[in-house]
């Protein structure tokens, strides 16, 4: 069974930085796309950043220039470096990946979420 676990959330002041990590474990044959999403109270879950296996990344307009998604070399782990944090970034952040577990089975997997709170 595949499991995704986030870490690195916390409370920071505006202008500060946090680094989130997501570790995928289990019967993983291949990972196609990995990403980060967030959901603030009263809002829908929104895409923050994605990274393809080929290295192509994309970001929400609200985080461009401030956030960077990356993958650890040789590990099923990816990260979200968040700089110049704003109160508007406060949300629960979820990691996500489209993972192949057998030769015929692909599906989306989600982490449990980690809280990021940015104080003004």
């Amino acid at each position: 069974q595949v499991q995704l676990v986030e870490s690195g959330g916390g409370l920071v002041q505006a202008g500060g930085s946090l680094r989130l990590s997501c570790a995928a474990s289990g019967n993983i044959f291949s990972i196609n796309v990995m990403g980060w999403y967030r959901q603030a109270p009263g809002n829908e879950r929104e895409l923050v950043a994605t990274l393809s296996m080929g290295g192509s990344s994309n970001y929400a307009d609200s985080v461009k220039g401030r956030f960077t998604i990356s993958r650890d070399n040789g590990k099923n782990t990816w990260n979200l470096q968040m700089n110049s944090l704003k109160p508007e970034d406060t949300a629960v952040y979820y990691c996500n990946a489209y993972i192949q577990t057998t030769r015929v089975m692909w599906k989306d997997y989600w982490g449990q979420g980690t809280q990021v709170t940015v104080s003004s």
Side-chain angles (χ1 to χ4, degrees), residues 28-91:
I28 299 173
F29 185 80
S30 181
I31 300 178
N32 186 16
V33 179
M34 59 209 77
W36 290 93
Y37 292 73
R38 68 186 182 187
Q39 187 169 20
N43 293 345
E44 297 295 317
R45 187 173 297 184
E46 64 176 350
L47 183 148
V48 176
T50 60
L51 179 66
S52 72
M53 195 173 183
S56 178
S57 61
N58 66 81
Y59 299 89
D61 288 342
S62 59
V63 307
K64 286 180 179 177
R66 300 188 297 120
F67 291 10
T68 303
I69 187 171
S70 63
R71 183 177 185 176
D72 287 348
N73 187 35
K75 296 182 175 66
N76 290 324
T77 301
W78 56 102
N79 311 289
L80 184 70
Q81 179 66 45
M82 305 185 293
N83 298 327
S84 301
L85 283 162
K86 305 174 181 180
E88 307 94 271
D89 296 318
T90 295

Side-chain angles (χ1 to χ4, degrees), residues 5-27:
V5 179
E6 300 102 335
S7 62
L11 173 65
V12 298
Q13 290 186 317
S17 298
L18 283 174
R19 180 180 173 86
L20 306 183
S21 295
C22 182
S25 61
N27 188 24

